[in-house]
């Protein structure tokens, strides 16, 4: 078997990442050796592979759904926005420079088509099946000429395409029909059919519409997935905490101790890897929320300043909002603050940045004895060690090089009183360390909070991925999906006018 499939969507956030992960988990449970692939991802949530390559976190999670180790081949192009008009381009796991949207779509993107097709071919030569995820919508006709992630990759690799639509938003039939009708005849040949996502209610009431859709397009609907809470995997962007949805919207064990812990996460601009706090949200009795006002820190037992793609910009935002003064007051009062990556950097004494913001020397909040200098080369590592008497693993993604001038050692950073800072993303996913850290927070705040002794973040992730696999197995036409993956799009699919403009 040398199968493949492209999961496209009528819109961004239609459920492509989730459906891709679900199909991957369903296939691997059938004994299929499968891998995920996304030619181009735009995200501030990224991950470091074991060989030191940076890829989107969604693809890392999809690799986990496949029960394989993630590699740069699975996400050869990653765009990390640095503002409204430009992004850092990460190619095969390494940054190759900043580029404006106009510059990228004006020629650079199209030149990468050969690279991404080579990566896909290499994966297809290694695995029985590769499940590809598109981006945005394949009907973005203004970008079709340079497309390398939707119909561009489908055409180049002759992949059948399944279009996912979020019915919870409304207008799904028009979205399916319009998406198809705006594609060229050559592109339409590869669109095999549709998948309805997030349906609420009685499926029999939907079936007449599906029959009409088939009559209008000549294409089948491969499944109707019901709306279920907490099914998100690591988000590409946005303010949702993926595992937080699972905890809040399903049955949750009560706190082990008498008190809860409240965690406030500063929603800084260009926030990156906010998935770091998912592991906190997974703990019974820990309440996580994102905040952007100083008064929202008042009742927080722990404040997290997360990573950001714009450290100097985030620092200015904290000052403009009054959050910087609130953090300084917290530190003086001995109330816990945790800075991660860019959040760690803003807590230091000074930042020298001629790379990211080109702002020169900027004074930090002065809560930690740390000076940061931005280097042109990005640090991409998977460190491991020990902290608070527990083993810890993490990953680092940053240009800022920290010079620690004092304090108590904490991972690669330091601790002064109840202010903690580190460049390590993902450290809170280490269960023993997370529990030890929460005990420190509880002691500092006088809360009678006790971490649950048996919360396994890795096990919760696996349960989540199994639920996605169950969703595909129980609510999709898996026999038809199998034929699609194995044999490609059905022949003789009709053209739906008007097609793409010339």
């Amino acid at each position: 078997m040398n199968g493949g499939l492209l999961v496209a969507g009528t819109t961004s956030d239609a459920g492509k990442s989730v459906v891709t992960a679900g199909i991957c988990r369903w296939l691997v449970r059938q004994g299929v050796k499968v891998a995920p692939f996304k030619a181009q991802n735009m995200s501030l949530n990224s991950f470091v592979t074991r060989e030191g390559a940076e890829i989107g976190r969604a693809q890392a999670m999809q690799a986990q759904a496949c029960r394989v180790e993630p590699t740069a081949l699975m996400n050869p192009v990653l765009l990390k926005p640095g503002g409204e008009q430009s992004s850092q381009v990460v190619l095969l796991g390494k940054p190759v420079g900043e580029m404006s949207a106009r510059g990228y779509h004006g020629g650079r993107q199209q030149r990468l088509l050969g690279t991404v097709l080579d990566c896909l071919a290499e994966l297809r030569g290694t695995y029985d099946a590769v499940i590809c995820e598109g981006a945005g919508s394949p009907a973005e006709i203004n970008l079709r000429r340079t497309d390398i992630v939707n119909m561009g990759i489908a055409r180049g690799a002759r992949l059948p395409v399944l279009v996912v639509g979020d019915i919870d938003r409304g207008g799904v039939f028009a979205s399916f029909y319009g998406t198809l009708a705006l594609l060229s005849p050559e592109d339409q040949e590869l669109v095999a059919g549709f998948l309805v996502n997030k349906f609420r209610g009685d499926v029999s009431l939907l079936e007449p519409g599906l029959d009409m859709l088939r009559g209008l397009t000549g294409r089948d609907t491969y499944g109707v997935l019901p709306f279920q809470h907490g099914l998100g995997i690591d988000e590409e962007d946005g303010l949702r905490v993926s595992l937080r949805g699972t905890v809040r919207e399903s049955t949750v064990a009560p706190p082990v101790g008498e008190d809860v812990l409240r965690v406030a996460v500063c929603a800084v601009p260009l926030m990156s890897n906010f998935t770091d706090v998912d592991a906190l949200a997974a703990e019974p009795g820990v309440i996580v929320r994102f905040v952007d006002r100083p008064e929202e820190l008042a009742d927080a037992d722990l404040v997290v300043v997360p990573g950001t793609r714009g450290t100097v910009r985030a620092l200015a935002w904290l000052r403009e909002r009054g959050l910087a003064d609130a953090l300084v007051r917290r530190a003086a009062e001995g109330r816990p603050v945790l800075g991660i990556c860019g959040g760690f950097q803003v807590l230091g004494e000074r930042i020298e940045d001629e790379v990211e913001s080109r702002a020169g020397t900027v004074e930090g909040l002065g809560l930690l004895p740390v000076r940061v200098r931005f280097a042109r080369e990005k640090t991409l590592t998977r460190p491991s060690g020990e902290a608070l008497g527990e083993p810890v693993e993490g990953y680092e993604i940053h240009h800022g090089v920290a010079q620690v001038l004092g304090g108590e050692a904490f991972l690669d950073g330091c601790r002064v009183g109840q202010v903690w800072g580190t460049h390590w993303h993902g450290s809170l996913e280490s269960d023993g360390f997370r529990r030890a850290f929460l005990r420190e927070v509880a002691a500092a705040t006088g809360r009678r909070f006790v971490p649950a002794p048996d919360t396994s973040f890795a096990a919760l992730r696996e349960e989540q991925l199994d639920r996605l696999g169950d969703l595909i197995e129980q609510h999709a036409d898996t026999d038809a999906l199998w034929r699609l993956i194995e044999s490609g799009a059905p022949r003789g699919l009709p053209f739906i006018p008007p097609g793409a403009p010339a």
Side-chain angles (χ1 to χ4, degrees), residues 173 177 194 205-219 221 496:
F173 292 116
Y177 188 89
F194 313 106
L205 299 176
L206 188 65
E207 287 171 350
L210 301 179
D211 291 340
M212 284 187 276
L213 183 66
R214 192 186 194 292
L216 289 165
T217 67
R219 289 158 173 84
T221 297
I496 305 302

Side-chain angles (χ1 to χ4, degrees), residues 159-170:
L159 292 172
V161 178
L162 185 68
V163 179
V164 177
D166 180 356
I167 198 170
D168 200 47
R169 296 180 174 201

Side-chain angles (χ1 to χ4, degrees), residues 43 61 119 146 190 207 214 219 230 275 308 317 376-377 392 397 400 495:
S43 179
M61 184 61 70
C119 291
T146 58
L190 296 173
E207 287 171 350
R214 192 186 194 292
R219 289 158 173 84
T275 47
T308 171
W317 181 88
R376 297 200 175 276
E377 185 173 344
V392 194
I397 306 170
F495 169 69

Side-chain angles (χ1 to χ4, degrees), residues 240-397:
R240 288 181 309 194
V241 185
S242 57
L243 206 55
R244 184 58 190 157
T246 301
V247 175
R248 277 185 175 162
E249 299 172 357
S250 59
T251 303
V252 183
V256 175
E258 296 179 43
D259 289 338
V260 299
L261 282 183
R262 293 175 172 82
V263 179
V265 184
C266 296
V268 296
L270 299 174
M271 182 166 50
S272 62
N273 289 69
F274 57 83
T275 47
D276 282 332
V277 298
D278 281 6
L280 294 177
E283 285 285 348
V286 176
I287 301 168
V288 176
R289 67 184 188 273
F290 289 92
V291 304
D292 60 5
R293 296 180 298 180
E295 57 267 28
E296 294 177 293
L297 306 188
D299 66 343
D301 300 300
L302 169 67
V303 174
V304 177
V305 187
T308 171
R309 172 82 165 84
T311 300
V312 171
R313 178 176 169 182
L315 180 57
W317 181 88
L318 290 168
R319 286 181 166 134
E320 290 165 4
R321 293 269 176 162
L323 287 160
D325 290 340
L327 289 169
V328 171
R329 286 194 298 272
R330 283 187 67 90
E333 294 165 0
R335 302 174 67 197
V337 176
L338 171 64
I340 302 174
C341 199
F344 165 42
Q345 295 167 8
V346 305
L347 298 180
E349 297 174 353
R350 189 174 69 201
I351 298 168
E352 296 178 23
D353 182 11
E354 299 293 348
V355 176
E356 189 176 77
S357 68
R358 297 182 176 87
T361 300
V362 178
E363 296 301 311
L365 298 186
L367 304 184
L368 291 174
V370 174
R371 294 179 182 176
V372 177
R373 178 185 55 81
F374 272 65
R376 297 200 175 276
E377 185 173 344
K378 183 183 282 190
T379 298
L380 296 168
T381 63
R382 289 274 293 270
S384 60
E386 183 177 299
L388 303 180
E390 298 287 347
V392 194
E393 294 182 352
Y395 57 99
E396 294 186 48
I397 306 170

Side-chain angles (χ1 to χ4, degrees), residues 79-161:
L79 304 178
K80 303 193 72 175
E84 296 297 324
Q85 299 293 329
S86 67
S87 293
Q88 183 180 68
V89 181
V90 179
L91 180 61
L92 293 173
K94 303 297 180 183
V96 295
E98 297 279 335
M99 188 164 288
S100 69
R102 179 180 292 275
Y104 183 69
H105 290 288
R108 177 63 183 269
Q109 182 183 36
Q110 195 171 25
R111 292 196 295 271
L112 294 174
L113 180 59
T115 299
V116 300
L117 285 171
D118 288 345
C119 291
L120 177 56
E122 187 170 343
L123 287 174
R124 295 185 79 178
T126 305
Y127 292 89
D128 299 328
V130 179
I131 308 303
C132 307
E133 179 188 343
S137 162
E140 291 167 351
I141 54 179
N142 56 316
L143 302 177
R144 176 61 186 92
R145 182 178 62 83
T146 58
D147 171 53
I148 65 170
V149 65
N150 290 306
M151 301 313 298
I153 197 78
R155 285 267 292 277
R158 302 306 299 170
L159 292 172
V161 178

